Amino acid sequence: MKARLRRLLFLLSVALIAAFSILPFLWFIATSLKTQMEITAIPPTLLPSFSLDFYRSALDDYHLLHYLKNSVIVAGAATAGTIGISLFAGYALARIPLRHKPLIMGSLLLVAMFPQISIAGPVWQILAALGWLNSYQGLILPYITLSLPLGVWIMTGFFRELPQELEDAARVDGCGHLQTLFRIIIPLAAPGVFTAAILVFIYAWNEFFFALLIMTQRPYQTLPVGIALFQGQYTIPWGEIAAASTIATIPLVLLVLLFQRRIVRGLSAGAIKG
Amino acid sequence: MTIPTRSVHCLAPRRRRERLFAAALLFPCFAFVAVFAFYPIIHSLYLSLYRIILGLPGLSQPFVYLENYRQLWGDAVARHALANTFLFVAVSTTCEMLLGLAMALVINRSFRGRGLIRAAVLIPWAIPTVVASQMWRFINNDHYGLLNFLLYGSDLASYQAWLADPTFAMAAVVVADIWKTSAFAALIILAGLQTIPDELYEAARLDGATAWQRFTRITLPLIKPALLIALLFRTMDAFRVFDLVFVMTQGGPADATNVLQFYGYKKMFAEGLLGYGATISVLVFLIILALSLVYVRFLGREIMEERP
Amino acid sequence: MRRRRRRGRREAPMDRISSRYPEGFRPGRTAAVFLVLLVLCLSFAGCGQEAKKANGQILRFYTWKPNQPEVWEEIVRIFEAEHPGVKVWREIGPHSSTSFHDLLTQKLKNRSKYLDVFLMDVVWTAEFAAAGWALALDDRFPRTEQSRYFANVIQANTYGGKIYGVPLYIDTGMLYYRKDLLAKHRLTPPKTWPELVRQAGIITAGEPDIYGFSAQFKQYEGLICNMMEFILANRGRLIHPETGKAALADQPAREAVQFVRNQIIGKTAPAGILAYEEPESLALFVQGKAVFHRNWPYAWEAANDPSRSRVAGKVGIAPLPAFPGGASRAALGGWQLGISRYSENKELAWKFIAFLSSPRIQKLLALKASLAPTRKDIYDDRDILAVCPQFREMKRAFVSAAPRPVSPLYPALSNVMQRYFSRALSGAAADINRESLAVAAEMEQLLTLAP
């Protein structure tokens, strides 16, 4: 009896959590399927008339796929770069005895503590001097920098949890640090990598301020900037924005679903536990 | 038993090689950080010591030592913004940690449809902040917004203007933030949860521990590092909130949602007061630094220290 | 405790580890995929830079997203056809006036040479002129030519005796009203604000589910426009032009603010207008939920479009009301064209500006994009009046439109005023008299800095 009650409570909390997360977005999807008149109807209409006008408009007039492509490139490269650098740095901080380790880790955190609006100005000037405004690397490099604290901290914490014996065993076998790193540690780091990768990818995907400042030409603008530009001087095209968000979110959700299974598989195999 | 092939007096070169190896591993990280983070930070500190009014270049840009800080101390709007920011951080971070913990606990268990629930939980976070902010602005609209419809149905006379009221506007921004970023905490806590071996729970259950005891004695202590990372990063990000306010309320009404970083943005970019804007950023930075030190000291010293 | 190991079994650790992996997970392959992705992404990174100069000249024009993109494309095409070898490169900024300003000034303050012509909101000219970002245009835009435009717009573009911008189109606040409802209750458009409140009361008592008034009172630049219209209608000012002193603490200004707080917000108009910008306030009107509506000229087209509006064909337009003893004064808006002082194509930039502000193109913009021209004589053109009859009514309002304070520190002044108005209207400020004195003092502190 008690077990059933607990199960019921559990399912209820699952339902609540799912509802809280999904309901606003479902509303937005419904908005994307309405007509212009229905969107600002008072009181609001719940059931849309399933018109695809806004999708057509978002794709054709508002060049949505183009912004999506740019976001994927920038976020993907930023993620790859951050993960690569964090892996190495995390291993060094977790395993190699170093003096001043708290200082090193703390100084990384400083980066995450400083307001980005102030960092933006000098970064803009550096990029302008290099001629990298309105270029992919102009956005990727700051993104990597700003995600490094999180990435390094996650990887460090993760590596610290790895049992020492595996490396000791490899060491005894004569593997140097580098070999240990590549043949043993990196393969084991998969779960931590996926966690960090998702976090960094979505940070880069969402980031708005730097993208707005650095990418002012349409060929290079990313999705948040693109959608912010949907807004006309006196009109907010709710329908197109809703359609764009739907189109933009679904591939990301699929991506995330894929990664999730990897995390579970990697961890449940027991490489870490016991 | 294999004897280690390195003898004692080779330890010194090995140590040095190890440190060189560490330096090589850490170099890319710090190269990036030095150029794109440390230099701008130092530049900001430098700017905060000058009075710069871009619109009036005729006034030149004198070095004013700590005058900007003194002005900030007496700035009532900044004080209000500081209070707003603290309120925002306190409420949103607490709720996000609790909600994130609940989400992580839920999706850590295996049940049918878990993948879908996970996707549902992560969707808010995958939507760009500017889109989510517009969406919440739409939902909070006093006439055709979802919130009023859910609360009052067709009773138009009771519809509230959420974003027009100073208190509720802040609440709306907080709710939007919680909705958006609880998944972040959930993910980090989830990673921590999944390192806890099942055997521990089994053993505890055999010993007769209740669910609550299992939670407080096993789960909580073992996910403390994850909790700390989530709390630390969430606090730092919450203190620097900007996109939400920029899109949803632009700091209003009556400066009720004016947070420090938005105020700094207005000063720097809109009014051209670069020195004063930099001062505000330094203030935000110092506050976050102080908070982080408090966290680390009381919650997780072991994260920063060497392993014995 | 070291484990036993035999030579030749170096793979032992790897075996042990790989046996812990689920089927099919090959670390080597994953790492390879990872590396390939990294290389791919980074190779894309090499493909970007600021547009290079091709053969011929590139003219860079920083503008916002047009509501009718095809019209602007046609205009650019015409210009490029008439100037062979020239390419107009439009960079589109956000439409929000504040964001546009911040991104534009980011380029100007860093002396970007990738900017030739830009659009300026009517209130930025003084700031851009004083900061040395906009080029003085007196030699190219003489007084004789200036006199063809509305005098108030030219005045707004002048700073220190020199002219820095060429007006592209003009905007001003208008009163929209439901002519069917007014006719039903046998009313004519109100000439004073108390009259408007009275009429709104009569109509809303007789009709279900409708508010009296809808306008923009969110804490943003539009709030200044709306409040200024009330204050000027009561013979008050924001700043005394002769002395340069703040006038918000004077009685007419205070009275106007009090009127709005006590009679409009939450009474004639819903309390929600404290969070409204143009889109939300217009939506209320076109959904048939407001009797009166204050907005810019663009709303005429939107309100009469049957696919977007429930009140199409039932909309009337009139000048804004005044207060008894005062005159109707609307806020001057509109956008101007400027040349960057750091541009390397100043001659070409001027040709483009002359082209855009020529009668032919102004007429085109009026006919196809409903942008109100800034040249006075176009309002007598028959084609224009046939397509846009509302311009006849609007012209009177344009001529008498009042500019906001002209000062290089206008953004800072605006923020201070926005704060005051928002606090006063939302009830956060308990005592308007005291608050108005405080804001006047703050404004004067700023005004003493500017020459």
Side-chain angles (χ1 to χ4, degrees), chain C residues 219-258:
Chain C
Q219 186 176 344
Y220 79 127
E221 181 66 28
L223 176 61
I224 309 276
C225 297
N226 275 264
M227 288 311 297
M228 188 174 101
E229 284 159 0
F230 281 97
I231 292 176
L232 288 177
N234 200 29
R235 297 203 294 179
R237 309 296 293 262
L238 294 180
I239 295 185
H240 290 292
E242 318 82 39
T243 58
K245 288 216 168 293
L248 278 178
D250 298 352
Q251 195 189 2
R254 270 188 291 121
E255 267 176 13
V257 173
Q258 261 155 352

Side-chain angles (χ1 to χ4, degrees), chain A residues 114 117-122 124-125 209 213, chain B residues 40-57 60-62 64 68-69 71-72 263-283, chain C residues 101-102 105-111 127 131 133 409 412:
Chain A
F114 210 81
I117 51 157
S118 280
I119 296 184
W124 196 97
Q125 285 167 345
F209 189 65
L213 219 56
Chain B
I41 292 177
I42 296 177
H43 187 82
S44 281
L45 286 168
Y46 168 80
L47 274 184
S48 72
L49 299 173
Y50 285 77
R51 190 186 72 166
I52 302 173
I53 305 178
L54 282 183
L56 297 173
S60 83
Q61 301 178 348
V64 289
N68 282 328
Y69 291 90
Q71 201 183 339
L72 189 61
Y263 187 49
Y265 166 80
K266 279 271 192 61
K267 288 288 170 192
M268 275 191 102
F269 285 84
E271 300 179 23
L273 300 172
L274 289 184
Y276 197 61
T279 315
I280 296 177
S281 297
V282 171
L283 174 69
Chain C
H101 169 273
D102 302 338
T105 52
Q106 179 72 6
K107 291 176 189 283
L108 289 169
K109 70 189 178 201
N110 286 294
R111 305 178 188 217
E127 182 195 354
W133 296 330
L409 291 178

Side-chain angles (χ1 to χ4, degrees), chain A residues 36-43 62 72-73 76-77 79-81 83-84 87 120-121 124-125 131-137 140 165-166 168-170 172-175 179 183-184 186-190 193-194 212-213 216-221 228-236 238 262 265-266 268-274, chain C residues 2-3 5-6 9-14 16-17 19-25 27-31 34 37-38 41-42 44-51 60 62 64-65 67 89 91-96 99 102-103 106-107 110 112 114 169 171 277-280 282-284 286-287 289 295-296 298 306-310 335:
Chain A
Q36 181 63 41
M37 195 87 91
E38 280 177 342
I39 283 185
T40 49
I42 300 166
Y62 289 82
V72 168
I73 292 177
T79 307
I83 296 297
L87 265 175
W124 196 97
Q125 285 167 345
W132 280 355
L133 287 175
N134 286 301
S135 71
Y136 289 123
Q137 65 267 27
I140 294 172
E165 344 165 292
L166 295 166
D168 294 343
V172 161
D173 260 2
C175 288
Q179 274 184 313
R183 297 176 102 212
I184 307 207
I186 288 193
L188 281 179
V193 162
F194 285 124
L212 184 69
L213 219 56
T216 51
Q217 290 169 8
R218 199 202 284 153
Y220 296 101
Q221 281 168 339
L229 290 181
F230 277 26
Q231 183 168 344
Q233 186 175 19
Y234 297 127
T235 53
I236 303 180
W238 292 117
R262 297 228 133 203
R265 288 219 304 225
S268 64
I272 305 304
K273 305 175 202 171
Chain C
R2 298 269 189 259
R3 286 176 215 228
R5 208 159 320 273
R6 281 196 290 273
R9 285 217 60 214
R10 250 152 147 258
E11 296 306 298
M14 286 302 290
R16 211 178 356 250
I17 291 162
S19 68
R20 291 175 184 228
Y21 284 135
E23 298 298 311
F25 180 65
R29 188 176 66 172
T30 315
F34 192 71
L37 276 175
L38 176 63
C41 287
L42 287 180
F44 269 115
C47 301
Q49 30 200 309
E50 292 273 339
R60 294 168 198 275
Y62 193 67
W64 29 243
K65 186 160 105 59
N67 285 325
W89 188 285
E91 223 175 77
I92 310 281
H95 233 308
S96 144
S99 309
D102 302 338
L103 288 179
Q106 179 72 6
K107 291 176 189 283
N110 286 294
S112 168
Y114 295 111
Y169 76 93
D171 251 346
E277 294 186 21
E278 284 83 355
E280 291 98 333
L282 181 62
L284 204 66
V286 301
Q287 289 286 333
K289 299 284 179 197
N295 212 331
W296 309 96
Y298 87 102
S307 70
R308 283 190 286 166
S309 163
R310 287 192 213 272
W335 289 75

